[in-house]
Amino acid sequence: MQHTTVRRAGAVIAGALALSLTVAGCSTDAEEPAAGASGSSGAESSSVAQSVEEPSLEFAGPNGEVPGTLDELTLTDEEAATVADGGYTAAFVWHTSSEFVDAVEKGATEQLADLGIEVVASTEAAFDAATQANNVESVMALDPDIVIGIAADPTSAAQSFQPIVDAGKQLVIMTTPPAGYTAGDQFVSIVTESLTDAGRANAELLGDALGGEGKVAYLFHDADFWFTNQRDEAFKDWLGHSYPDMEIVAEEGFTDEARTEEIAAALLLKNPDITGIYVPWATAAQGVLAAVKAAGRTDVAIVTNDLDTTLAADMAAGGNIAGLVGNGSLDIGRGLAIAGAYGLLDTEAPALVASPPVKVTADNLAEGWLADYGVEPPASVQAG
């Protein structure tokens, strides 16, 4: 019997990580500012961050869900035909617009088309809860059968997403559900990125760039959010375990990504021996890159999550960006679409599944960009 499964674009990349136990940026990531890490802002560590035992790749979803793999989302030919015969429609309710969101939507739209499902709307809210509430109303006026979305603000989304639930539509979540919503009740499933694998990938990129030695600044998003709390901590754990000669000498939290340039500038002044910096996501890393360049520090390597044109162009030109970790964006989109089909078929889906991340360096930039986003890199990136 043939099955429809999520196709793994990231598998063609030599830098892609094996997904041991997975949990997505999206990024979101939410892909970008929807995250946080524990710890006190501005704390410093004078000791090498070593882990005696290999860190666990386990983590939990926002409601304690145990993550599974994208391969768990599969449809038989008969199930796919049943969906295709239904004349169903779908709509997207995004938190913001970005290259990551575009890639997720591309993957979802392609998979929905394969299942005979028409996309009737796509909205984004610029991280504004009121705008997202209005977007939900606009989408619901089109009466879609599936709504794929991510809460711009989990608390307010509990109310603004309620019309989707009340209408009996199949709600599928990328990364961030409304507060109080649970899989199998208000929504079908959460599809996102493997957090611990992404943390490990960042550690490997920075460790390789610095030859396993050096002093590191660790930036984290200082908010209580399940996604980057665990992704940030995984970077720290894997760096200490895999690279015992690398020392985290400064830690700084932030809630406003617009402040990362200021924070990085201060860290470099206070710790001039820093040669590596971890940043939770790409737009926050843009400020860090600006600070490093303003300080004339060509010796500082930066790693972060999400593929980004500005950062990729710097990396291609041999700048400070040593590596980027893609979210497996196309596969996240495909998983969201298949999870929506599960809802239409009234079939129980895994509560949480995740896409393995993709490690991208200057050496595999074009290939990695194509695998993660489904398009060739922009001209500015290819030109280096």
Side-chain angles (χ1 to χ4, degrees), residues 73-356:
L73 291 174
T74 180
L75 299 171
T76 66
D77 284 349
E78 291 78 9
E79 289 171 330
T82 297
V83 172
D85 290 341
Y88 296 115
T89 60
F92 300 106
V93 177
W94 299 123
H95 55 322
T96 189
S97 60
S98 68
E99 291 166 308
F100 164 71
V101 171
D102 289 346
V104 172
E105 183 170 317
K106 176 179 172 64
T109 299
E110 290 174 351
Q111 188 68 67
L112 290 167
D114 287 346
L115 294 170
I117 300 172
E118 178 187 3
V119 175
V120 295
S122 178
T123 67
E124 67 90 11
F127 284 109
D128 183 75
T131 299
Q132 188 167 66
N134 291 334
N135 290 344
V136 170
E137 291 183 6
S138 298
V139 161
M140 291 306 294
L142 300 174
D143 195 33
D145 299 291
I146 299 171
V147 177
I148 295 171
I150 172 174
D153 171 66
T155 301
S156 62
Q159 179 177 348
S160 61
F161 277 48
Q162 193 61 43
I164 303 171
V165 179
D166 291 343
K169 305 303 181 181
Q170 305 307 317
L171 176 61
V172 187
I173 299 296
M174 183 179 78
T175 304
T176 311
Y181 282 33
T182 57
D185 190 356
Q186 289 86 2
F187 64 87
V188 178
S189 181
I190 298 172
V191 184
T192 190
E193 176 197 28
S194 172
L195 304 182
T196 45
D197 280 316
R200 180 173 63 175
N202 275 281
E204 291 172 350
L205 287 169
L206 191 59
D208 291 348
L210 298 181
E213 299 180 348
K215 296 186 177 182
V216 175
Y218 167 71
L219 271 64
F220 60 91
H221 192 210
D222 195 10
D224 183 16
F225 184 74
W226 75 278
F227 187 80
T228 51
N229 286 167
Q230 296 175 87
R231 187 171 67 180
D232 290 351
E233 286 298 318
F235 163 78
K236 195 174 181 181
D237 291 344
W238 280 100
L239 187 76
H241 171 74
S242 301
Y243 304 96
D245 293 328
M246 296 180 70
E247 181 182 2
I248 294 178
V249 296
E251 303 184 16
E252 187 76 30
F254 66 92
T255 57
D256 181 2
E257 65 178 25
R259 291 196 60 239
T260 56
E261 182 173 356
E262 169 193 342
I263 290 170
L267 287 176
L268 289 169
L269 282 173
K270 191 172 184 180
N271 304 274
D273 52 355
I274 286 173
T275 55
I277 304 177
Y278 164 81
V279 194
W281 63 79
T283 50
Q286 289 180 9
V288 175
L289 178 62
V292 170
K293 288 189 175 302
R297 294 293 303 275
T298 58
D299 60 320
V300 175
I302 302 169
V303 296
T304 192
N305 296 283
D306 310 330
L307 304 188
D308 169 87
T309 298
T310 299
L311 303 183
D314 177 82
M315 183 167 66
N320 296 94
I321 302 300
L324 303 171
V325 178
N327 301 277
S329 308
L330 291 175
D331 288 337
I332 289 175
R334 291 165 181 147
L336 290 164
I338 294 180
Y342 269 58
L344 295 174
L345 294 167
D346 197 25
T347 300
E348 183 179 0
L352 171 66
V353 296
S355 172

Side-chain angles (χ1 to χ4, degrees), residues 51-66:
S51 300
V52 176
E53 297 182 358
E54 181 174 303
S56 173
L57 287 173
E58 295 183 2
F59 57 90
N63 301 307
E65 298 93 343
V66 176

